[in-house]
Amino acid sequence: MTASRNGADGPLVGVAIGTTRGPSVVLRIAEEAPEVRSVVCLGRTTRALPISPAYDAFTRRPTGVIERELGHGAFRADVSARIDGGESWQLGFYLAHRLAAAGRLAGAGETPGRWIWATGALDGELAIGPVAEVARKLANSADWLAARTREGAAVAVVAPEDAARLLEAADLPAGATAMAESGVERVLAGIGLPPPAAAATAGARRPERAAPPRPGGRKRRRAATAAALALVLAGAGAAVWAARLPPFDPLPDRAAPGPSAAAPAAAPAVAIEWRVARPAPGGDCGGPAGPEEPAAGATVEGRACRLVAAAVNRSDAAVFVELAAGFSALDHIRPGRRRADIRRGAVAPGGRLELPLVPPERIGPGFAARAVALAAPAGAEGPERAAASLLDGRAAAPAGGARTVSELRLAPAGLPAPAP
């Protein structure tokens, strides 16, 4: 993981988009040729996310706000976790685009001294509109927010103005600043970026991490935030609502810990996701897996041509993963055929290691697909023996690593679904 550093025009800032599944970090925003459609991909893979058409409309004239402000409308954005729909991603992507244009968006593997967690829709005038399930998004981001503040980073939690009570009720960690906003101006000011009108007037395309510093820009920001700096130094981490304080630009960058204050490295965060391929009309199993994506522990009823188990790296750094998956049952028709398929490899932040499985033609009650992922930091000794832990749990997590287990219950047509 790269240490915190400054961008072309100020300190790097990371952006996380709040979703109902947890935060999705913006890993990169790169310009594409103007004739290309904008796309959002999962973890620098070729897997385009369902919001890509809406993202293209959000970036491109005449409907989009990004081309109007930055002079370019075609981009590829990479995120660390799925974003399936809705409009609550718009605020986070807008802020990420503004930071990227200034050369200040923290990329994959970098550790910024400050973060923005955002949820909110934007209209054509950049007013922040209401979105659903803010409380659930905050709850599912609680561990991530706590981890960032434990690292010493300053975090701004930004939501629409009508979510002020939800922010106030949320148990935010010390070091996180709550902001219930009706527009983007105060958030931009808090990270040292000009207001939308100034950005649009400038009209310059600024390539990723290549913007020259503005003369006197740092002095202007320091003067504008001097009073807030004194408040932050007196009591950093106090929550603020609406317009009571300027946001969090004056918070200092994360100081490098000395030898006695060094925190232990966080264990890799690896999740297991499933996809299911169903027969095409007529019973053909030649189609691709998906889009059916059952949650872990769910029951897949009826015929499944193929399952795909995927170990997803939700850490901020690359990890080495061994993924093992196979089938077992309390009443297996062919118990002697128990075995596990295995796949190993390095997985980038937000990336995935996939392992396809073909169920036996005949299965009985209590039949299940199980997967185990062992993960260790990249460069460390790789995890081993995931297959041994598939059925009996013998393999522990590797040193400094993590062990994740997931299961899908299968109920063939004509048989009752197994009890949880």
Side-chain angles (χ1 to χ4, degrees):
M1 189 176 295
T2 306
S4 177
R5 65 175 180 83
N6 280 356
D9 202 20
L12 296 182
V13 179
V15 175
I17 295 169
T19 79
T20 55
R21 297 182 179 184
S24 181
V25 175
V26 181
L27 303 174
R28 178 181 64 167
I29 290 179
E31 290 186 1
E32 296 288 350
E35 65 273 13
V36 173
R37 295 283 185 185
S38 293
V39 65
V40 181
C41 293
L42 184 62
R44 299 201 179 203
T45 68
T46 58
R47 186 178 179 188
L49 294 183
I51 64 166
S52 292
Y55 174 69
D56 181 65
F58 178 73
T59 60
R60 191 185 303 273
R61 289 180 183 271
T63 56
V65 298
I66 302 301
E67 185 173 12
R68 183 183 69 198
E69 290 205 27
L70 302 180
H72 189 69
F75 300 88
R76 171 182 167 134
D78 292 272
V79 294
S80 66
R82 288 182 61 91
I83 304 174
D84 291 325
E87 298 180 336
S88 62
W89 48 266
Q90 292 177 345
L91 174 59
F93 268 121
Y94 172 80
L95 297 171
H97 271 279
R98 291 293 308 273
L99 286 162
R104 293 180 51 203
L105 177 65
E110 293 179 318
T111 309
R114 57 193 72 188
W115 284 89
I116 293 175
W117 180 100
T119 183
L122 290 181
D123 66 13
E125 301 302 319
L126 299 178
I128 301 176
V131 294
E133 299 197 83
V134 175
R136 183 180 173 191
K137 293 171 185 176
L138 288 167
N140 289 337
S141 295
D143 291 344
W144 183 90
L145 292 169
R148 302 291 79 79
T149 57
R150 283 197 303 270
E151 292 171 352
V155 182
V157 178
V158 187
E161 189 174 37
D162 70 345
R165 290 185 180 276
L166 296 175
L167 289 175
E168 191 169 3
D171 186 19
L172 297 180
T177 299
M179 300 178 66
E181 300 295 320
S182 60
V184 299
E185 291 79 8
R186 281 188 355 104
V187 186
L188 293 172
I191 51 178
L193 293 177
T201 302
R205 275 180 56 186
R206 305 178 71 183
E208 185 178 7
R209 302 254 173 97
R214 287 175 294 144
R218 195 176 302 277
K219 290 182 179 179
R220 287 193 296 271
R221 287 195 300 275
R222 287 175 179 168
T225 58
L229 177 57
L231 289 171
V232 170
L233 294 176
V240 295
W241 318 116
R244 297 181 186 175
L245 284 177
F248 83 137
D249 175 57
L251 290 175
D253 282 330
R254 184 170 62 97
S260 61
V270 175
I272 295 176
E273 296 179 354
W274 295 91
R275 286 188 288 138
V276 179
R278 298 289 194 177
D284 182 17
C285 275
E292 187 175 340
E293 297 184 354
T299 296
V300 177
E301 299 187 37
R303 185 183 176 195
C305 297
R306 183 162 54 99
L307 307 179
V308 176
V312 183
N313 181 10
R314 293 183 176 169
S315 308
D316 294 331
V319 297
F320 185 89
V321 175
E322 179 177 78
L323 175 66
F327 298 96
S328 66
L330 299 177
D331 182 20
H332 201 308
I333 290 178
R334 293 182 291 175
R337 296 293 298 274
R338 287 186 181 184
R339 67 183 183 87
D341 295 312
I342 302 174
R343 182 162 291 178
R344 304 176 180 88
V347 183
R352 49 201 293 128
L353 183 69
E354 296 191 344
L355 182 59
L357 302 168
V358 178
E361 293 183 2
R362 299 176 60 205
I363 61 175
F367 197 83
R370 293 192 176 101
V372 176
L374 300 183
E381 183 178 355
E384 297 177 354
R385 295 182 301 281
S389 70
L390 185 63
L391 299 178
D392 56 22
R394 291 199 304 268
R403 176 178 182 268
T404 305
V405 182
S406 184
E407 177 180 286
L408 282 184
R409 294 184 294 274
L410 305 181
L415 289 178

